[in-house]
Amino acid sequence: MAKKTVAKTTPTVVILLGSKSDLPVIEGMYPLLERFGLSYGVEVASAHRQPEKLKRIINASEKGGTQVYVAAAGMAAHLPGVVASMTAKPVIGVPVAAGPLQGFDALMSIVQMPPGVPVATVAVGSAGARNAACLAARILALKDAKVATAVDEYRKDLARGGK
Ligand code: RP5
């Protein structure tokens, strides 16, 4: 399931999913994170169905030095907000189009966090997931010159018509 799990290494970026069914949405993040030189791990931990597992992952990854969390979920999509309640690190929320409301439900849920507990919310679906990777890189580039260079190179590629 996971490309690189939190259990084996402690990655800089931890990607959390509300369900295994969300996995296809985040696939586009992998090449971007690799290009930016960022280690990452993927874990399924539903805020509703597996809150204790989620807490364990957050605690272990925080201890290990994870810097940014990305959380993707559909429907009621409480996962990103719950993650933001458990860590002071930046949390990026990716709304997933699951169920009859096509991601509008998840978008509204993730973006409407109460003051003091921010979740940086990106677009619904795979475009949002890719932007989550880019935003994580921009955050980490503030303190890491190598990541900053990789982000600049990526932006140059975009200007040349790349994706
Ligand atoms: C959310 O409910 C998950 O993030 C997923 O997007 C959606 C459906 O989950 P499954 O029924 O596919 O497990 O919690």
Side-chain angles (χ1 to χ4, degrees):
M1 172 265 299
K3 281 203 80 164
K4 295 166 189 165
T5 66
V6 175
K8 284 182 197 140
T9 57
T10 306
T12 305
V13 178
V14 165
I15 304 167
L16 295 155
L17 305 176
S19 169
K20 216 161 38 164
S21 64
D22 300 325
L23 265 172
V25 174
I26 60 142
E27 273 169 8
M29 295 181 70
Y30 309 152
L32 283 168
L33 291 168
E34 279 157 26
R35 172 181 187 144
F36 298 134
L38 299 175
S39 61
Y40 60 94
V42 183
E43 291 281 352
V44 175
S46 165
H48 303 123
R49 295 178 281 213
Q50 300 163 300
E52 279 150 26
K53 177 183 180 188
L54 179 61
K55 185 73 186 149
R56 278 199 303 275
I57 292 168
I58 301 291
N59 287 347
S61 56
E62 284 234 277
K63 261 192 210 141
T66 291
Q67 298 294 303
V68 177
Y69 292 88
V70 175
M75 301 183 81
H78 293 131
L79 180 63
V82 171
V83 173
S85 79
M86 293 177 173
T87 178
K89 297 286 188 308
V91 178
I92 304 170
V94 182
V96 173
L101 301 186
Q102 297 286 301
F104 190 65
D105 43 0
L107 173 63
M108 291 299 111
S109 174
I110 295 172
V111 82
Q112 288 290 353
M113 287 297 292
V117 193
V119 171
T121 309
V122 292
V124 176
S126 53
R130 287 167 60 193
N131 266 349
C134 295
L135 182 54
R138 287 182 179 211
I139 292 166
L140 293 159
L142 293 171
K143 289 273 171 71
D144 186 324
K146 272 193 189 161
V147 180
T149 302
V151 169
D152 282 345
E153 284 304 318
Y154 175 65
R155 295 181 66 231
K156 282 180 195 152
D157 278 0
L158 288 182
R160 287 190 285 261
K163 285 211 168 179

